[in-house]
């Protein structure tokens, strides 16, 4: 019984080494499977076309933190996401960078710099800044702690509003109160039926005037046209987007050249190959022991 990795050569090479060290069987690529009944686990970003052909399949592991790109699983197959410290630290770093960039008006200074204009604007202390994080899971909490350490007044919003030490927490029903204080709004939500399109005109209208948007969740959570209107109306003053809709952002899209927006091409994080392989081994071992699977996704909830 083996794990089938469906991925690209650089990842395959590292996984082959890690699995050999652990003496665990690994198949590199669906085209190398001789007997589908040998496949117990599949790790991939995009899975093989037909998951139904593997009669002993127990688990599908997304090699990233998100699972919104995955098709519905066959009956009885469990879905896991990758839990890897590197992913979480990288996104945390990107969010801290983006928050500081927007809070300290970097989009404006970048435009001025290109135009050779020496024009100072108000300078702000982090400790006077009120930041709101939508999505207080593994990454949201890490980002919250780093932003708090910089002095920002951090609040978090999550479905349950579960307490997080050092952070003022708001539950789903308290969205208005949460938004009303979010001078920098950070989105770290998973994409689900409930969060699709959540960053739209209705939400922007409830933010303090001139708020800034940091988005590293998923592109389909953001209504790009509503963003443009909110920027034009001064409701938002700037945005930093690691994820966009569409993705990649199409050639000539207005957001590329809007001086109020900084776009990065979904690079807040990428999964370290060794950490990904080690997570997969942890899933295999937990499954074998009948223990809870690391990164198990609630498929009904979508994350
Ligand atoms: P987690 O599953 O650990 O946390 C998800 C959080 O979102 C939880 O706090 C959860 O609330 C909250 N949430 C989910 N649905 C809702 C909702 N409808 N309303 C309010 N809150 C909600 O996820 P991670 O922190 O590990 O990752 C978050 C996302 O970050 C990923 O799904 C992915 O989309 C994105 N990501 C982006 C990357 C990039 O490169 N740009 C890289 C990695 C991840 P509760 O705790 O109450 O259930
Ligand atoms: C992820 C991502 O989900 O890269 O890991 O977005």
């Amino acid at each position: 019984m083996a794990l089938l990795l469906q991925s690209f050569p650089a990842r395959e090479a590292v996984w082959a080494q890690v699995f050999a060290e652990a003496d665990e069987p690994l198949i590199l690529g669906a085209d190398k499977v001789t007997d589908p009944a040998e496949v117990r686990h599949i790790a991939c970003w995009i899975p093989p076309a037909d998951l139904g052909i593997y009669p002993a399949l127990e688990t599908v592991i997304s090699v990233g933190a998100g699972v919104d790109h995955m098709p519905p699983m066959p009956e009885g197959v469990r879905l896991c996401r990758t839990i890897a410290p590197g992913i979480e630290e990288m996104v945390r770093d990107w969010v801290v960078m983006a928050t500081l960039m927007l809070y300290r008006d970097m989009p404006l200074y970048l435009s001025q710099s290109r135009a050779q204009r020496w024009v100072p604007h108000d300078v702000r202390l982090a400790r006077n800044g009120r930041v709101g994080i939508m999505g207080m899971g593994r990454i949201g909490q890490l980002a919250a702690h780093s932003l708090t350490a910089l002095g920002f007044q951090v609040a978090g919003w999550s479905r349950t509003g579960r307490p997080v030490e050092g952070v003022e927490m708001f539950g789903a029903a308290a969205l208005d109160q949460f938004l009303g204080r979010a001078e920098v709004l950070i989105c770290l939500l998973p994409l689900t039926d409930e969060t699709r399109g959540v960053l739209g005109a209705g939400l922007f209208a409830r933010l303090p005037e001139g708020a800034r948007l940091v988005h590293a969740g998923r592109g389909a959570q953001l209504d790009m046209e509503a963003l443009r209107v909110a920027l034009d109306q001064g409701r938002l003053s700037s945005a930093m987007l690691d994820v966009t809709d569409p993705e990649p952002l199409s050639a000539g899209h207005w957001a590329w050249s809007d001086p109020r927006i900084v776009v990065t091409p979904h690079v807040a994080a990428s999964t370290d190959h060794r950490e990904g392989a080690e997570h997969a081994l942890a899933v295999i071992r937990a499954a074998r022991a009948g223990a809870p699977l690391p990164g198990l996704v609630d498929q009904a909830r979508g994350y």
Side-chain angles (χ1 to χ4, degrees):
M1 286 295 182
L3 179 140
L4 161 62
L5 173 67
Q6 179 77 357
S7 195
F8 48 85
R11 175 172 281 142
E12 287 180 351
V14 176
W15 281 53
Q17 201 182 335
V18 173
F19 272 62
E21 284 160 11
D23 201 20
E24 282 289 346
L26 176 70
I27 303 171
L28 296 174
D31 54 332
K32 303 289 185 327
V33 175
T34 46
D35 176 5
E38 269 181 56
V39 175
R40 182 161 285 177
H41 309 281
I42 295 178
C44 56
W45 184 255
I46 304 298
D50 186 1
L51 290 174
I53 66 167
Y54 305 100
L57 183 63
E58 288 179 4
T59 323
V60 173
I61 306 169
S62 165
V63 291
V67 293
D68 48 284
H69 55 286
M70 285 286 180
M73 293 294 115
E75 183 74 31
V77 173
R78 294 188 284 179
L79 175 63
C80 291
R81 69 202 187 99
T82 292
I83 304 290
I87 300 179
E88 295 163 13
E89 290 162 24
M90 279 187 245
V91 181
R92 182 266 324 268
D93 294 349
W94 186 94
V95 164
V96 169
M97 170 184 70
T99 302
L100 287 169
M101 281 181 68
L102 298 190
Y103 190 66
R104 297 300 297 267
D105 293 324
M106 277 310 284
L108 182 57
Y109 286 118
L110 285 171
S111 298
Q112 288 189 186
S113 172
R114 288 192 191 103
Q116 302 185 25
R117 295 184 63 227
W118 184 282
V119 184
H121 301 279
D122 286 349
V123 179
R124 292 186 190 86
L125 264 172
R127 75 171 120 90
N128 292 333
R130 295 195 301 170
V131 170
I133 304 179
M134 301 179 80
M136 285 295 289
R138 297 183 66 92
I139 300 173
Q141 291 186 38
L142 203 58
H145 291 136
S146 292
L147 291 166
T148 302
L150 287 171
F152 286 106
Q153 300 163 39
V154 180
W157 181 74
S158 70
R159 197 175 46 81
T160 54
R162 196 177 296 126
V164 174
E165 204 185 321
V167 179
E168 187 182 359
M169 283 299 297
F170 296 84
L175 182 59
D176 280 2
Q177 290 124 278
F178 165 81
L179 292 174
R181 67 173 296 296
E183 293 163 335
V184 180
L185 182 69
I186 298 168
C187 181
L188 285 169
L189 288 166
L191 179 63
T192 65
D193 290 345
E194 286 180 22
T195 66
R196 189 175 299 277
V198 66
L199 302 173
L203 182 142
F204 296 147
R206 287 130 85 195
L207 290 169
E209 188 154 350
R212 293 140 165 90
L213 174 67
V214 170
H215 188 25
R218 284 289 184 261
Q221 289 158 345
L222 173 62
D223 178 342
M224 296 286 290
E225 205 39 49
L227 171 64
R228 177 168 31 187
V229 172
L231 288 166
D232 288 348
Q233 291 175 339
R235 176 118 304 281
L236 290 179
S237 60
S238 56
M240 190 139 170
L241 312 177
D242 186 54
V243 290
T244 57
D245 189 19
E247 198 170 295
L249 205 55
S250 42
H253 192 285
W254 64 270
W256 283 123
S257 52
D258 192 307
R260 301 163 297 187
I261 295 181
V262 178
V263 174
T264 57
H266 201 143
V267 290
S270 72
T271 309
D272 173 82
H273 300 326
R274 179 163 281 271
E275 287 192 3
E278 282 162 0
H279 171 77
L281 285 177
V283 171
I284 291 171
R285 288 172 184 147
R288 196 173 285 146
L293 299 188
L296 183 67
V297 170
D298 178 335
Q299 295 181 51
R301 207 177 57 173
Y303 69 98

